[in-house]
Amino acid sequence: MNDTFLKACRGEKTDYVPVWMMRQAGRYLPEYQKVRGNISFLSLCKTPELCVEVTLQPVTRLHMDAAILFSDILIPMEAMGAGLEFHEGRGPVFHDTIRDQAGLDRLIIPDPEATMGFVMETIRLLRRELQVPLIGFAGAPFTCATYLIEGGSSKTFWETKKMMFTQPELFHGLMEKITACTLAYLQAQAKAGAQVLQIFDSWVGILAPCDFEEFALPYVQTIIGGLQDTTLPIIYFANNGATLLDLSIRSGADVLGLDWRINIRDAIRRVGNKALQGNLDPFALMLPRDALRQRIKRMLDAATDAHGYIFNLGHGIHQFTPPDQAKCAVDAVHELSGR
Ligand code: CP3
């Protein structure tokens, strides 16, 4: 068992810098497209044998130091009773948006094993196959709430902020319900065998620091606090969160994820003894090979003072990235950091 990634999460010394990539299983891999050719995305998420197969694909092809469970952050929102569909080219869609008390009352706090047993089954199957640690995950409450309130992806998050500012009690009520669901869901993943848990806060970067502190951070703290007895390392990734980094330290996470909009040296100075994960611009994978290696070398040099460092992209890998470019980056991290 290769435990380099686990050690880095705990801030322990490692022989080399471990690497994985957010959204490493997905459409940029032809072997993923092949599996997806016969089945819808949601059906794929609910078929453990196929989830195992696509989880393993990037680990095998690219030699990643960690695997991430194949699922989606919106699966538990569906289990809460929000009807979810994925449309080609448009992403996730919730038809019944949550914008009033009646909508909120209709949401349930589901039993994770009873409603999302396929996720826990995927984890149990993966643990038998894997030689690297398995990351379980969930969306952070704020990011999940934006999907329920907007009804899908958004550019302005008008409805979300409108609810925050005009119906704060309703907004907090929704956040509480999502938090209860998410905590139980992550506890179930831990029990099934997940070895690290990552919380994805993809949209929280739209908030002013004062609103992050009031409307989003307390719920992340509740989840991470509730996971303490699992003793698993927790990663909190606040996308577009450079301006929220000082507050994010208070999340209680062991590792903070960084996007690419911050210099990693600045981040190290600001976070003290937390481990860091990131922060290559995903589009930098398109650099010519030599330039890509040079950029990775600079990042590795800059990160030597971190209290634990995991190489990753600053956000998910883009669907048109050539897999060989991703492989070149993984190899460069391994070679240049002394593996
Ligand atoms: O290796 C992995 O990371 C795969 C597991 C995974 C998926 N989604 C599979 C997926 C993870 C960890 C996620 C997280 C996720 N899902 C996030 C947080 C990370 C981020 O990117 O900010 C968010 C915001 C979502 C919601 C979501 N799921 C959107 C907006 C979309 C549509 C846009 C897109 O990228 O396609 C999805 C669909 C989705 N989730 C796909 C995959 C592989 C593509 C589905 C397909 O095959 O068509």
Side-chain angles (χ1 to χ4, degrees), residues 49-100:
E49 291 72 20
L50 293 178
C51 287
V52 169
E53 185 179 337
V54 296
T55 300
L56 296 175
Q57 286 171 351
V59 181
T60 309
R61 183 198 268 249
L62 302 169
H63 304 151
M64 298 296 187
D65 294 293
I68 181 159
L69 162 72
F70 190 84
S71 187
D72 197 85
I73 61 164
L74 299 176
I75 292 287
M77 300 306 101
E78 184 185 49
M80 289 179 81
L84 171 62
E85 287 173 21
F86 280 88
H87 293 259
E88 288 308 322
R90 204 176 134 204
V93 176
F94 290 102
H95 285 292
D96 297 311
T97 50
I98 310 296
R99 294 184 187 170
D100 56 21

Side-chain angles (χ1 to χ4, degrees), residues 91-216:
V93 176
F94 290 102
H95 285 292
D96 297 311
T97 50
I98 310 296
R99 294 184 187 170
D100 56 21
Q101 189 63 44
L104 173 56
D105 290 344
R106 275 197 301 275
L107 294 179
I108 60 156
I109 297 169
D111 174 337
E113 273 289 352
T115 57
M116 297 175 277
F118 48 86
V119 172
M120 275 36 91
E121 180 61 11
T122 301
I123 293 173
R124 286 187 285 265
L125 293 171
L126 275 167
R127 282 301 305 279
R128 290 193 219 144
E129 304 267 335
L130 281 167
Q131 302 302 315
V132 294
L134 175 62
I135 305 166
F137 70 88
F142 180 79
T143 288
C144 293
T146 66
Y147 283 100
L148 295 179
I149 298 168
E150 305 289 338
S153 302
S154 173
K155 282 204 169 74
T156 60
F157 298 93
W158 168 254
E159 295 293 342
T160 305
K161 289 196 180 179
K162 192 169 81 180
M163 189 194 290
M164 262 173 52
F165 293 133
T166 66
Q167 297 177 279
E169 279 168 25
L170 181 65
F171 185 84
H172 281 295
L174 177 58
M175 291 291 282
E176 273 169 29
K177 240 173 172 170
I178 297 173
T179 298
C181 167
T182 305
L183 175 56
Y185 178 52
L186 288 174
Q187 282 168 330
Q189 290 187 31
K191 201 169 155 222
Q195 292 159 290
V196 171
L197 298 169
Q198 173 153 330
I199 300 171
F200 284 93
D201 222 343
S202 305
W203 304 122
V204 79
I206 64 163
L207 293 179
C210 61
D211 293 322
F212 174 64
E213 204 174 351
E214 180 176 348
F215 291 102

Side-chain angles (χ1 to χ4, degrees), residues 204-267:
V204 79
I206 64 163
L207 293 179
C210 61
D211 293 322
F212 174 64
E213 204 174 351
E214 180 176 348
F215 291 102
L217 180 62
Y219 301 98
V220 177
Q221 288 169 324
T222 299
I223 292 170
I224 295 176
L227 291 168
Q228 285 313 298
D229 45 351
T230 68
T231 73
L232 298 185
I234 314 284
I235 306 171
Y236 176 57
F237 171 60
N239 182 37
N240 224 329
T243 51
L244 307 174
L245 190 59
D246 303 281
L247 288 167
S248 295
I249 294 168
R250 290 198 235 144
S251 65
D254 306 277
V255 186
L256 294 177
L258 301 174
D259 65 31
W260 65 93
R261 301 167 185 91
I262 183 170
N263 182 296
I264 196 160
R265 267 188 224 278
D266 292 345

Side-chain angles (χ1 to χ4, degrees), residues 23-25 27 32 36 41 68 71-72 137 147 202 315:
R23 303 287 296 268
Q24 66 190 17
R27 284 167 304 201
Y32 172 84
R36 260 289 268 123
F41 174 65
I68 181 159
S71 187
D72 197 85
F137 70 88
Y147 283 100
S202 305
H315 200 181

